[in-house]
Structure formats: C-alpha cells, structure tokens
Amino acid sequence: MATRHTRIVERALTRLKLRQLRLLVAVGQHGSIQNAARDLNISQPAATKMIQDLEVDFEVKLFERTNRGVVPTVFGDSLIRHGKLIFAQVSNAAQELDDLNEGNSGRVVVGTLLAASPSLLPMAVERVLQDRPKVAIKIVEGTHEVLMPGLLSGEIDMVVGRLPSHRHRENITQEKFFDERILAVVGPQHPLACESNLTFDDIRPHGWILPPIETTLRRQTDQFFIRQDQYMPQTAIESVSYLANRALLRSHDFIGLMPAHVAALDIENGLLTPLDWVVPFGAGPVGVSYRDQQSLSPAGGALLAALHAAAAEIARLTPAS
C-alpha cells in the first residue's frame, strides 16, 4: 500500500496539471464532459483524454457513464473535493499576497454562528487588531449547513460558535472553549416577564421565535414540543437574525431561545428579560472548527490564539449556572 501511495504521489507531483483539476471539477459540476470542455474552451476528445490520464495516474475510476451524462464515483468525489480545496488555497494565496502588497498584514475568513457573534468573536477580533492593525478579516454569518462546506472547501478558514453535535466532523479539528446553556427570553413588556416559577403550561399560549429547522437546537426544540403532548405553537417565526429576533421580542409577546452569554448584555441593559423557566434542552459546547494548523495563515493563527484568550475571559466573567 505504501509503495502504491508513493507511486501515485510521484506521478501527481511530476505530471498533474491544474488544468486537469479544473476540468475534473467542471465535469463534476456539469455532469457532462462535453459541457465541461465547452466551459474550458477545449475539445471533447482532449477533455476525455485528460480524464483518462487522471484515472491512469491515480489508478482509480473517476466517473461512471449514465444515460444522462457522467456521475463521479466515490474516488471522483474525493478528488473533486481536494481539487476545490487546492483552487481555494491558490485563491487565498493570491488574496493574501494582494493584501500584503496593499499594506495589510494578512487575511483571514471566519464563519460565525449565533453563539459567537455578540462577544466571543468581537473580543477576539479586537485582540488581533491590536497587534495587527492592518489585517484583513472577513466575517461570514450562517448555520453549520452553510458554513461547514465552505470550511471544508477552503473558502472559510475557521468557524466559531456552537460545535456540531454529530455531522461535519470529518477532516476538521474542533476545539471546545466552554459549555453554553440556553435561555428562554422575552421582551420586558411580556406578561410572563415578571412571573416566577413558570411551568411549560404557563408558556403554551404564547408564540415563539425558533432557530432554523436545520440546526441542532431546533431539532432539540421540536423533540421537546413533541413530548409535550404534540405541542405546536400558535405562532412560530423561524429566524437566525439576532437583531430581528430582539426587535420582535420587544414588540410582540413572543418567546425566544438564546445562548445565555449571547443574551447577557441585552438582559443587563433591560432590553430583554429571561423567563424564570429552566430550558430542559439545548446546552452544548461552543468552540472553533478548522481544517488543521498548517492550513491557517499567520493571521489565521493569530485569530485562533485570540479566540482562546477571549474564551478564557468570557469563562472567567460568566457566573456558574
């Protein structure tokens, strides 16, 4: 096996061309060698020969022919994924050189989930900018389903927030910063805002702002509702926008679910009120996901170190529940 691996690596280093990988990725996107060849402005026979050469060099079959075109094999899917990662790294290298040429000290793209947005990530960014005031930082907000494919393809350097419970764990490194609990929060005008010792029966009549259906917290919420005699809220708004959620909670008698430290500042300032009801689900780890240390630029490494420092500060300031 080691001999075969060495042989394939030697061929890839001496014979593999980026044009072949571009074609491979294009064929995967189009499901057609003919359409991929047209996109790259090469003839179909030449494209077919390039795919055949790849199959010979890697000693695997990359595509299966069907009556609708071609479909990647498991080997084709793997090589396409690595090809996309290579192109993302080339793009990142070009962008980093451009940033350095313009006087910036590197570049990092970070994906953020709700649990990281209000305090953890801003604190880390501020620490980085103190040492690297010209660093270029791009922040992309979304759910795991949006951010993790970008992380795996190299378009995103790291994702900060609630760690995925079971998916997206392959080919990435995860570091836990702290455990987060979930609060049920309302606007200060809500009729339950000043009530004590609430039960779920007290909460039933009110509408909810829920996380998106593809999130772990939403699945846990739905499972809890099912256990409460198949409960279905009379009104349910699905939103991942913290600003929109806060405005809706303050203007309507909705109940929202938020990580405790996300809502902490607004609770302290009287903009939101936590219900006196212990949410019996949703607790989980907050941390960072990235491909590996070697994939991080110096700016990315600096942000990772700053995240560790910011997380330690948050853990120190957060009272035990």
Side-chain angles (χ1 to χ4, degrees):
M1 183 63 69
T3 302
R4 180 174 180 271
H5 173 264
T6 302
R7 184 171 66 247
I8 292 174
V9 169
E10 181 64 23
R11 287 178 190 160
L13 291 175
T14 57
R15 297 169 56 176
L16 183 63
K17 298 179 177 62
L18 289 180
R19 196 179 191 195
Q20 287 176 295
L21 287 181
R22 286 186 64 197
L23 174 65
L24 181 74
V25 172
V27 173
Q29 291 172 339
H30 288 285
S32 164
I33 295 177
Q34 180 179 5
N35 292 341
R38 186 183 304 117
D39 263 8
L40 299 182
N41 198 28
I42 60 178
S43 68
Q44 182 173 349
T48 300
K49 178 66 163 57
M50 290 167 68
I51 295 296
Q52 290 172 343
D53 288 344
L54 281 173
E55 291 179 328
V56 170
D57 288 344
F58 284 95
E59 301 181 10
V60 292
K61 188 172 184 178
L62 298 174
F63 294 97
E64 296 281 1
R65 291 188 177 276
T66 72
N67 55 3
R68 294 187 176 181
V70 294
V71 178
T73 64
V74 63
F75 306 108
D77 278 332
S78 178
L79 194 54
I80 287 170
R81 176 169 54 82
H82 285 288
K84 289 179 177 178
L85 186 58
I86 289 170
F87 289 126
Q89 292 298 334
V90 171
S91 176
N92 290 344
Q95 182 66 64
E96 189 169 328
L97 292 176
D98 192 37
D99 291 335
L100 292 170
N101 190 47
E102 293 178 359
N104 298 326
S105 57
R107 176 181 178 85
V108 59
V109 181
V110 55
T112 177
L113 299 136
L114 178 61
S117 299
S119 53
L120 176 60
L121 185 55
M123 288 173 63
V125 169
E126 185 172 346
R127 285 174 178 270
V128 171
L129 293 178
Q130 288 175 355
D131 296 329
R132 296 168 173 257
K134 294 183 178 180
V135 71
I137 300 176
K138 179 179 180 180
I139 298 174
V140 182
E141 188 176 30
T143 63
H144 280 128
E145 277 61 27
V146 173
L147 298 176
M148 286 302 181
L151 176 64
L152 290 172
S153 68
E155 298 171 24
I156 295 174
D157 296 307
M158 63 183 72
V159 174
V160 185
R162 180 71 67 97
L163 296 176
S165 58
H166 57 281
R167 293 174 296 171
H168 310 298
R169 286 183 172 176
E170 293 184 4
N171 306 310
I172 61 173
T173 298
Q174 293 183 341
E175 296 184 22
K176 172 185 167 181
F177 293 149
F178 49 80
D179 285 309
E180 184 67 281
R181 61 192 177 94
I182 298 296
L183 298 179
V185 295
V186 296
Q189 83 294 337
H190 196 285
L192 297 180
C194 297
E195 296 294 324
S196 302
N197 301 317
L198 294 172
T199 67
F200 188 72
D201 285 338
D202 299 319
I203 294 173
R204 281 179 182 273
H206 299 279
W208 288 76
I209 300 177
L210 299 172
I213 198 167
E214 66 270 14
T215 63
T216 298
L217 180 56
R218 175 59 179 276
R219 288 189 290 272
Q220 294 172 336
T221 305
D222 288 345
Q223 290 165 6
F224 173 75
F225 284 171
I226 289 171
R227 293 195 297 271
Q228 308 307 309
D229 300 322
Q230 305 288 327
Y231 168 74
M232 291 185 64
Q234 291 184 356
T235 305
I237 295 176
E238 185 176 299
S239 169
V240 74
S241 170
Y242 182 82
L243 292 179
N245 293 354
R246 183 176 65 184
L248 287 168
L249 289 170
R250 288 178 55 79
S251 61
H252 295 79
D253 291 340
F254 293 142
I255 298 169
L257 296 170
M258 293 185 183
H261 90 268
V262 170
L265 186 60
D266 281 338
I267 290 174
E268 182 180 339
N269 292 331
L271 298 176
L272 296 176
T273 301
L275 289 183
D276 188 18
W277 175 66
V278 177
V279 179
F281 57 86
V286 171
V288 60
S289 302
Y290 54 93
R291 291 185 302 281
D292 55 60
Q293 288 277 5
Q294 289 71 34
S295 72
L296 295 177
S297 66
L303 180 58
L304 180 62
L307 284 166
H308 278 279
E313 180 70 8
I314 289 173
R316 185 180 70 81
L317 295 175
T318 302
S321 57

